[in-house]
Amino acid sequence: AQSVSQHNHHVILSEAASLELGCNYSYGGTVNLFWYVQYPGQHLQLLLKYFSGDPLVKGIKGFEAEFIKSKFSFNLRKPSVQWSDTAEYFCAVNARSNYQLIWGAGTKLIIKP
Amino acid sequence: DTGVSQDPRHKITKRGQNVTFRCDPISEHNRLYWYRQTLGQGPEFLTYFQNEAQLEKSRLLSDRFSAERPKGSFSTLEIQRTEQGDSAMYLCASSPQRGQPVMNTEAFFGQGTRLTVV
């Protein structure tokens, strides 16, 4: 069965620090990969996605993620975080052969001003 | 607002009662999904519609749960004889169909319906 693992449940950083959130998945076939963000009191929003092509994908608000197929990883990065990045971040994967998104448990990110 | 709309936003019910939630997807999206999210977890897939056809159901969807999308537009999720374990956030999402493979598009989520069973 597919699964998604996010390594950190809580991350606290100061403004301007660099961010990397880990995401690993288990599935041997072709996958689509997503990072979603949920700001306090808001709905889930897509940050970025990978379907094919360049494994380094850029999303909104300065976020990027790198797909490393050999490591089954899709880590999220941002070089310099802002207070407004305080939110919960979810990694999600779906196999090309079905409709389900399989989600990680999420990482709560708190940025100290 | 032309996003995914869910109603109600909050529902408190007594154990054993039936509840029904509604989801209005983005108008041109023919794919609709229901997910459930409990505290500290990511969403879990419940079911998927393409137009009015329910194409996939999770094993999480017991026989107390039923979902419909009668005209391929809005969808309802009904839970019969609610149990305390049904307390969760119920999320609806929609996506357009753009060629193959089948899930090559992102899903757009509503704000969810938070169910509390007391």
Side-chain angles (χ1 to χ4, degrees), chain A residues 21-71:
Chain A
L21 300 182
C23 172
N24 285 88
Y25 66 94
S26 65
Y27 181 71
T30 305
V31 293
N32 299 320
L33 299 152
F34 306 83
W35 275 97
Y36 279 83
V37 61
Q38 189 166 27
Y39 297 104
Q42 295 191 26
H43 60 280
L44 285 160
Q45 300 172 45
L46 182 71
L47 261 186
L48 47 79
K49 63 193 179 198
Y50 173 80
F51 294 152
S52 63
D54 188 343
L56 184 63
V57 292
K58 295 193 184 301
I60 60 171
K61 305 189 180 187
F63 286 90
E64 65 178 31
E66 184 175 13
F67 171 47
I68 302 179
K69 190 174 180 180
S70 61
K71 295 184 177 180

Side-chain angles (χ1 to χ4, degrees), chain A residues 32 34 36 38 41-44 46 49 51 88 90 94-101 103-106 108, chain B residues 9 31 33 35 37 40-45 48 50 55-56 91 101-111:
Chain A
N32 299 320
F34 306 83
Y36 279 83
Q38 189 166 27
Q42 295 191 26
H43 60 280
L44 285 160
L46 182 71
K49 63 193 179 198
F51 294 152
E88 190 160 17
F90 292 92
N94 90 282
R96 294 279 180 88
S97 55
N98 67 46
Y99 309 99
Q100 298 184 31
L101 277 172
W103 297 75
K108 285 192 169 72
Chain B
R9 294 285 306 279
R31 296 174 171 169
Y33 315 83
Y35 286 84
Q37 186 177 17
Q41 299 297 319
E44 297 172 296
F45 172 80
Y48 161 72
Q50 184 160 306
L55 296 186
E56 195 167 343
L91 298 169
V102 294
M103 183 58 188
N104 224 22
T105 56
E106 67 270 23
F108 295 80
F109 283 80
Q111 293 203 288

Side-chain angles (χ1 to χ4, degrees), chain B residues 6-11 20-22 112-114:
Chain B
Q6 291 188 246
D7 183 68
R9 294 285 306 279
H10 303 272
K11 179 72 176 178
T20 300
F21 310 140
R22 177 180 169 123
T113 294
R114 183 169 294 286

